């Protein structure tokens, strides 16, 4: 009897141990599922005023590259049917919204595979299936998408706020050399934020100055911090509407900065057809009262 009781107790203990192990496994799986939901499924404003519960993680059946075949291979999908002719995801032929319709500040950065990826809406055809495969996901922009991203990178270039002054300070005169100076230009280079793999850089090319007297635009050396751009006024500002701080009629002189824009990807300069190659700052200026020196003739 003692041996039977001992064997029964051992059997109960084994059953309890197996149950405990199975229970622990179930709990572990449940925790993993919950973590996946927390990381992958988020509520996003996919269009202004339109929200959706979106899976931001790639599934096991998705190709991660967002491109075609490997080196030396052709595409692994059929890219002959518009508009699903932009790139392959595995055997799927796809198109994507580039630039993304979601503001970059709202992208789920914690799941971003690399700085070169963008988060956008992707729509694909799947061989042998009806309908389309639609998903919000991270992709690496394909080559033909670069001009769209170029506009995005271009839009992130910000020109500096500068001030304009002239000499002789306070007032200039007809026939005299009036010199214009700009302050606040920085080092002459502006760098925009990254748009996918693209960077935009602006290099100050020249400065355009409108003296305000209808004589036309003057193109000046970009370094107006140390070298002035000169102009000779041939008439007084008497009768002009703008008044300076001392109440004197003045010409409204103004200037703007003109930058040459280049785009790079991985440190290599790329050509983006249709994207502007120059950037102009807003006009900014100063009021220039112009007087006349009275000469006594004998």
């Amino acid at each position: 009897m003692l041996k039977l009781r001992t064997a029964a107790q051992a059997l109960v203990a084994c059953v309890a141990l197996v149950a405990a192990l199975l229970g622990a496994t179930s709990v572990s799986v449940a925790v993993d599922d919950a973590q996946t939901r927390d990381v992958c499924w988020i509520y996003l404003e996919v269009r202004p005023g339109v929200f959706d519960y979106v899976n931001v993680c790639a599934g096991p059946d998705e190709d991660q590259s967002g491109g075609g075949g490997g080196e030396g291979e052709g595409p692994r999908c059929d890219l002959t049917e518009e508009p699903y002719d932009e790139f392959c995801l595995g055997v799927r032929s796809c198109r994507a919204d580039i630039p993304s319709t979601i503001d970059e500040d709202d992208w789920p950065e914690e799941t971003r595979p690399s700085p070169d990826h963008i988060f956008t809406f992707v729509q694909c055809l799947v061989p042998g299936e009806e309908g389309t495969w639609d998903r919000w996901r991270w992709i690496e922009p394909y080559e033909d998408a670069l001009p769209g991203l170029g506009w995005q990178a271009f839009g992130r270039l910000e020109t500096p706020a500068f001030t304009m002054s002239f000499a002789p300070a306070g007032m200039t005169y007809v026939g005299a050399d009036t010199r214009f100076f700009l302050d606040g230009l920085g080092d002459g280079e502006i760098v925009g934020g990254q748009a996918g793999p693209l960077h935009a850089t602006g290099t100050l090319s020249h400065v355009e100055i409108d003296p305000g007297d209808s004589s036309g635009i003057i193109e000046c050396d970009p370094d107006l911090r140390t070298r002035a751009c000169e102009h000779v006024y041939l008439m007084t500002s008497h009768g002009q509407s703008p008044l300076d701080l001392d109440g004197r009629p003045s010409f409204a002189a103004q200037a703007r900065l003109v930058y040459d824009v280049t785009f790079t990807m991985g440190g290599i300069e790329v050509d983006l057809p249709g994207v502007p190659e120059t950037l102009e700052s807003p006009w900014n200026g100063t009021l220039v009262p112009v007087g006349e020196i009275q000469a006594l003739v004998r």
Side-chain angles (χ1 to χ4, degrees), residues 4-75:
L4 289 174
R5 185 180 295 114
T6 302
Q9 288 173 343
L11 180 60
V12 170
C14 288
V15 170
L17 178 60
V18 171
L21 289 174
L22 290 175
T25 302
S26 300
V27 170
S28 176
V29 170
V31 168
D32 289 343
D33 288 346
Q35 289 174 342
T36 299
R37 283 196 302 272
D38 290 343
V39 172
C40 293
W41 290 90
I42 59 176
Y43 207 51
L44 283 180
E45 186 176 15
V46 296
R47 290 188 301 278
V50 178
F51 292 83
D52 195 7
Y53 199 47
V54 174
N55 183 357
V56 299
C57 297
D61 63 333
E62 294 181 43
D63 183 283
Q64 298 297 308
S65 66
E71 185 175 351
E73 300 176 6

